[in-house]
Amino acid sequence: MEMEERRNQTPITEFVLLGFGTGPELQPLLFLLFLMIYFATVAGNILIVLLVVADRHLHTPMYYLLGNLSCLETCYASTILPRMLASLLTRDRTISVKGCLVQLCIFGNMAAIENLLLTAMSYDRYLAICHPLRYAALMNGRVCGQLVAGAWISSFPFCTMVNIFLFQLTFCDSNEIDHFFCDFTPVVKVSCSDTRTLQLVTLINSSIVTLVPCLLTLMSYLCIITTILRIPSTRGRQKAFSTCSSHLFVVIIFYVTLIAVYVAPTTNTPKILHKLFSVFYTVLTPLINPIIYSLRNKEVKESLRKALLKLAAVRNRHRR
């Protein structure tokens, strides 16, 4: 009994991410699938950033915020997918405890920034539709820069508070994490430390950086929808809605998947289904965002068309 207790108290230095199972026949297929998703995500988001930087017609607050969101999504996907791809390719599922905690910290920070950026974008659309005559004065370059800087900077103090407690955890029982990345709940479950303070701090911070932005975004869109419904002409309503429809779709996808993974009761939910929800939230959402903005936004499509024409002209010039 004493030997068993001593064995259980031996600190572990590595975790094993169980991922999507041990079936060897699925590993190459999953590797190719996630590799294509990662390349498409990075390429799509970087393309939007380049278009926003290069096209002066996109030098507006809305596209400045969109460029920052695309930059964030690239970092967001790069936090999880490269490690998962390496695991699928080499079949080595181990990750050091420090590496796991670092991934968790970066992931939490990126998620908090995305919440705040989406709220800033909803505020921009609120001003554009509900106060169009004052939009240029209320949403100028200085205000837009402050919103973006606030989103990127203000998440760090909240995440740092959680990280201080997180890095004090010890792990001495099981080293298996039944997930494809280091998420908060699976990591805390395998800790042999008292995690009540950590969970309380995380709950408070998550409420501030998730619930408050979500409520502000909801209030913005309630005002936007109310204003749109007051527009007398059908064409006017369609035009007003088209200016915020892309962002609204992104917000819906983000918060629906967030609620499905972290808020909705998951006691009776099969673990594989919970992992699939997590894939949608962590992997597919960064991929879908640039697709939605490029397909539903005339200005982005026009900017892309001009860029392709310029690229074709340059290539023809070099051939001559």
Side-chain angles (χ1 to χ4, degrees), residues 76 103-113 155 159:
Y76 196 62
Q103 184 188 61
L104 173 56
C105 293
I106 296 175
F107 168 74
N109 198 40
M110 295 294 107
I113 295 172
S155 63
C159 294

Side-chain angles (χ1 to χ4, degrees), residues 45 48 65-66 69-70 72-73 76 114-115 117-119 121-122 125 214 217 221 241 244-258 280-281 284-297:
N45 283 290
I48 288 183
L65 292 168
L66 173 59
L69 179 65
S70 295
L72 175 73
E73 297 289 25
Y76 196 62
E114 183 162 6
N115 271 291
L117 277 179
L118 289 175
T119 304
M121 295 175 76
S122 68
R125 292 301 84 205
C214 181
T217 302
Y221 273 101
F241 182 72
C244 63
S245 59
S246 298
H247 179 255
L248 180 59
F249 284 138
V250 170
V251 167
I252 291 173
I253 291 170
F254 180 78
Y255 282 112
V256 166
T257 53
L258 184 71
F280 202 97
Y281 171 66
L284 295 184
T285 300
L287 171 67
I288 291 172
N289 286 358
I291 295 175
I292 290 176
Y293 279 110
S294 61
L295 291 180
R296 298 188 57 85
N297 194 298

